[in-house]
Amino acid sequence: MIRRNFLKTAAAVGLGLTLSTSVMAETVMRVASWLPPTHPQNAVVWPTWGKWVEEATEGRVKIKIEYGMGHPKTMFELVEDGVVDASFSYHGYVPGRFKLTQVVEQPGLGANAEAASVAHWRVNEKYFSKANEHDGLVLAALFTHGPGQIHMAKPIDSLSDLKGKKIRIGGGVQGEIGKRLGVTAVGAPAPKVYEMMQQGVIDGVFIPMGEQKTLRLKEVARNVVALPGGMYLGSFSMFISPDFMDSLSDKDRDAIMSVSGEKLSALAGRAWDAGDAEGYAAAKEAGVNLNEVAVDGPMAKEFQDVAKGMDEAWISHVKDRGVDAKAALSELREIARAYGK
């Protein structure tokens, strides 16, 4: 009896120590997000990657999404400074630092966000990583949103009608497009667009179709011009704090990176594509005026004229980065257009 009780006690102590060690060994990666919980980035991308990370690290690393951490442009600094462990943001919010990432934003790609995101990652690895635009961060993924379209409070009959209109511009290549169209650019993070439209601070916004649903633009931007292939794509990255990664074992660092990179980039692009499809359906159901411009339609031809010379302008803009920008742009388009075929 004494021996049996001793064995039971020893087993209980051993189990307690095992559980204690397990709990102590679990690391939580705090992820800052600036989009609403219902957005595909938060509803699909982060949770899916979180499962991949947990499985790859055998439960030792888990993620936790935290909201209300500030303007999206501050996400890079928050992660660099170790305030949070990981985040994502739009490169156009930090003009000057990110120039090479605009390669994927140029008009005329003719591919969806998943294809563009995979191409973006591969081209960055081959051509751009040595330029260190993401210095101070561990780059986990590069991705794009879907085609940027024109969302307006009032309808327009031609692109020339946009001249002088107050349009929210997020930065990056859409800023150049806005200049060429003669709009009055208004800077603001995407989550502020609904309020700005509602209050009449802006007349419209250049943004993908998904935001008709996720940002409820179907209520305030009741007129959409959908150009074939859109006007541009938006370039984003997902990134992790080097200090956080250094706090992990080599095994867990390698495990996290094994489910990141191209795999994570494809996931993010795919999720944002699905979000665009849902946004289009929501807009249609809400009775939004959808002007789906034909490939040979007048506004499509107008936009082709607007976009002339943008490739060359970007190549010239990134000369100081010391990369073969022309080859990178060409290869990105080849990869994206061949993806999935």
Side-chain angles (χ1 to χ4, degrees):
M1 178 67 70
I2 294 173
R3 177 175 172 77
R4 190 183 307 143
N5 288 339
F6 174 80
L7 290 174
K8 285 174 67 178
T9 302
V13 170
L15 177 61
L17 287 172
T18 301
L19 290 173
S20 175
T21 303
S22 174
V23 170
M24 287 176 65
E26 182 182 296
T27 300
V28 176
M29 183 191 301
R30 296 172 57 235
V31 173
S33 187
W34 42 274
L35 284 170
T38 54
H39 192 282
Q41 182 68 24
N42 297 321
V44 178
V45 181
W46 285 120
T48 302
W49 185 63
K51 289 177 184 176
W52 293 351
V53 166
E54 190 171 346
E55 289 170 2
T57 62
E58 300 174 320
R60 289 183 295 276
V61 181
K62 297 182 179 181
I63 77 163
K64 179 185 178 185
I65 304 173
E66 299 188 357
Y67 298 94
M69 300 291 286
H71 191 291
K73 71 180 180 182
T74 66
M75 296 300 112
F76 299 105
E77 293 177 4
L78 288 178
V79 174
E80 285 171 338
D81 295 342
V83 178
V84 291
D85 303 317
S87 188
F88 78 107
S89 196
Y90 177 59
H91 294 118
Y93 285 140
V94 190
R97 175 174 181 177
F98 300 107
K99 295 163 66 173
L100 295 173
T101 55
Q102 292 180 14
V103 65
V104 77
E105 299 186 357
Q106 301 301 316
L109 182 59
N112 64 14
E114 180 180 354
S117 299
V118 169
H120 195 5
W121 179 264
R122 291 183 189 174
V123 163
N124 181 75
E125 289 293 283
K126 182 175 178 179
Y127 292 93
F128 298 159
S129 58
K130 63 183 180 183
N132 292 322
E133 285 194 336
H134 293 87
D135 187 35
L137 302 164
V138 175
L139 191 62
L142 289 166
F143 69 96
T144 77
H145 63 45
Q149 304 290 11
I150 304 168
H151 305 246
M152 302 293 293
K154 296 179 181 178
I156 59 171
D157 297 318
S158 70
L159 296 187
S160 60
D161 291 345
L162 290 170
K163 189 171 184 179
K165 292 285 193 298
K166 292 174 288 183
I167 305 293
R168 179 268 179 182
I169 299 287
V173 162
Q174 60 177 294
E176 176 62 23
I177 291 171
K179 285 180 189 175
R180 291 173 176 233
L181 289 169
V183 308
T184 299
V186 180
K192 291 287 186 184
V193 171
Y194 180 94
E195 180 184 341
M196 295 171 77
M197 289 288 294
Q198 189 180 48
Q199 295 176 353
V201 175
I202 54 175
D203 301 305
V205 57
F206 298 163
I207 213 162
M209 282 303 299
E211 314 317 338
Q212 279 283 320
K213 179 181 178 181
T214 59
L215 298 183
R216 296 164 44 217
L217 295 189
K218 62 185 179 179
E219 300 172 15
V220 290
R222 305 268 314 156
N223 300 276
V224 175
V225 174
L227 291 163
M231 296 190 295
Y232 64 93
L233 298 176
S235 172
F236 296 77
S237 56
M238 296 171 68
F239 39 87
I240 310 169
S241 161
D243 289 340
F244 175 83
M245 293 295 273
D246 287 344
S247 73
L248 304 175
S249 66
D250 290 346
K251 182 179 180 180
D252 285 346
R253 279 198 298 273
D254 291 344
I256 290 171
M257 295 314 295
S258 75
V259 294
S260 302
E262 183 174 320
K263 180 179 181 178
L264 179 55
S265 300
L267 167 69
R270 189 160 59 247
W272 285 55
D273 279 332
D276 279 354
E278 290 178 10
Y280 176 84
K284 206 165 185 180
E285 186 180 346
V288 171
N289 174 29
L290 290 166
N291 180 2
E292 298 182 67
V293 179
V295 174
D296 59 351
M299 275 200 264
K301 291 178 179 176
E302 267 189 284
F303 185 69
Q304 288 168 12
D305 289 338
V306 167
K308 280 179 182 174
M310 285 189 63
D311 287 0
E312 292 76 13
W314 173 76
I315 290 168
S316 176
H317 181 56
V318 299
K319 274 183 179 177
D320 63 335
R321 293 302 199 246
V323 302
D324 191 342
K326 185 176 181 181
L329 178 58
S330 176
E331 190 164 327
L332 180 136
R333 287 174 172 162
E334 288 175 12
I335 295 168
R337 290 165 185 169
Y339 183 77
K341 292 183 179 178

